[in-house]
Amino acid sequence: MIPTHPRRGLFIALEGGDGVGKTTQRALLGRWLEDRGFELVLTREPGGTELGGYLREALLHGGHVDPRTEALLFATDRAHHVHSLIAPALARGAMVVTDRYLDSSVAYQGAARDLGITEVRELSLWATEGLLPDLTVLLDLEPGAAAARRQEAPDRLERESDGFHRRVREVFLELAAAEPGRYLVLDAAADPGELHAAITARLAPLLERR
Ligand code: TYD
C-alpha cells in the first residue's frame, strides 16, 4: 500500500521483544540526529499521545481484555499517534523515532494471540492510512535473556508464556527477512555502543538521499 501522507522527514521504528534495549537505542539515536541539526520527535507505542497514555495504562496494567479488544485498542492508539503526532512531524521535515510500531501488533496480536498476521496488519494499515517506517531496526534477543535483563515488575504482556514470546520473536524475524530493504536486524546481546554504530551506519545513506 502506498503511504498517503506527505513526508519530508524520516520515520524510524525500533522493534523487538520486551527488554531488548529499544529505549536505550532510541535515546542514543535521538542524540545523534539532534547533533546533526534535525528536528527530532522521540515517541513510543502504546502511549505516544495523551489519549495513548490512557490506552497504555489500560492495555498494560488494566484487567483482562479479549484478544480482539486488545488488537483494536493498540490500533486505536496507533491511528491517533500517526494522525496527531507522527504524520504532521514527518510533513514538516522532522525525524521521528518510535519505540515500537505496526510490527508489534502483527507479532503480538496477529501471531502470538493468533488473530491472523494478515488481518492485524490490514487493521493497522487502515488505522494509519498505510504509513510504514523508512527503516525498522529489529533488536533481536532470545526471550529468556531479555526477561533476565528486566528490572521492573512484568506488565500484562510480559507475563505471557515463554512460547508466546518465542512466537513474537519468530514473527519479527520473518517480517524482517521478507523485506530486507526496510529492516536492519541486530543481535541485541551486543554492546549498546556497537548497536548504535550499526544503526547510524545504516541510516546515514538514507539521510543523504532525502
Ligand atoms: P513497551 O513499553 O515497549 O515494553 P518494553 O519496554 O518491555 O518492550 O511495550 C509494551 C508492551 O505492549 C509490550 O509487551 C509489547 C506490547 N505491544 C503489543 O502487544 N502490541 C502492539 O501493537 C504494541 C505497540 C505493543
Side-chain angles (χ1 to χ4, degrees):
M1 195 185 284
I2 296 163
T4 55
H5 302 285
R7 54 171 149 177
R8 294 186 291 120
L10 285 182
F11 182 26
I12 302 142
L14 295 160
E15 294 278 14
D18 298 86
V20 295
K22 295 183 296 298
T23 311
T24 305
Q25 289 306 320
R26 187 185 62 168
L28 292 172
L29 180 57
R31 199 173 317 140
W32 186 85
L33 286 164
E34 269 184 335
D35 286 349
R36 275 149 194 81
F38 293 108
E39 182 196 341
L40 174 70
V41 175
L42 285 188
T43 187
R44 68 170 176 180
E45 290 192 359
T49 61
E50 191 183 343
L51 170 63
Y54 296 114
L55 295 171
R56 181 182 178 91
E57 187 55 30
L59 278 160
L60 302 187
H61 306 293
H64 172 78
V65 283
D66 66 280
R68 280 168 196 271
T69 304
E70 182 182 281
L72 287 164
L73 289 173
F74 278 116
T76 303
D77 171 67
R78 185 161 302 123
H80 184 60
H81 191 204
V82 166
H83 183 81
S84 66
L85 186 74
I86 299 177
L90 293 174
R92 66 175 186 266
M95 300 289 143
V96 178
V97 184
T98 184
D99 192 332
R100 297 192 182 279
Y101 188 61
L102 187 147
D103 289 348
S104 280
S105 280
V106 173
Y108 284 81
Q109 282 68 51
R113 291 269 192 249
D114 230 358
L115 289 174
I117 284 178
T118 309
E119 288 83 350
V120 169
R121 184 178 162 80
E122 287 301 319
L123 173 68
S124 264
L125 286 174
W126 180 80
T128 61
E129 297 184 74
L131 183 72
L132 290 174
D134 296 288
L135 178 67
T136 296
V137 178
L138 174 59
L139 295 176
D140 177 55
L141 192 63
E142 197 274 310
R149 285 184 181 192
R150 191 187 299 135
Q151 285 167 358
E152 289 160 18
D155 64 37
R156 205 170 59 81
L157 282 127
E158 285 164 347
R159 289 196 296 272
E160 289 293 337
S161 67
D162 194 49
F164 180 97
H165 291 288
R166 287 190 186 287
R167 184 76 186 117
V168 166
R169 181 188 187 199
E170 236 172 63
V171 171
F172 275 135
L173 287 169
E174 283 168 18
L175 292 171
E179 281 185 88
R182 280 204 315 110
Y183 286 82
L184 171 65
V185 183
L186 297 172
D187 176 357
D191 170 73
E194 263 175 54
L195 293 171
H196 174 61
I199 294 171
T200 55
R202 176 63 182 270
L203 201 55
L206 294 183
L207 288 170
E208 266 168 37
R209 236 182 281 147
R210 53 184 281 285

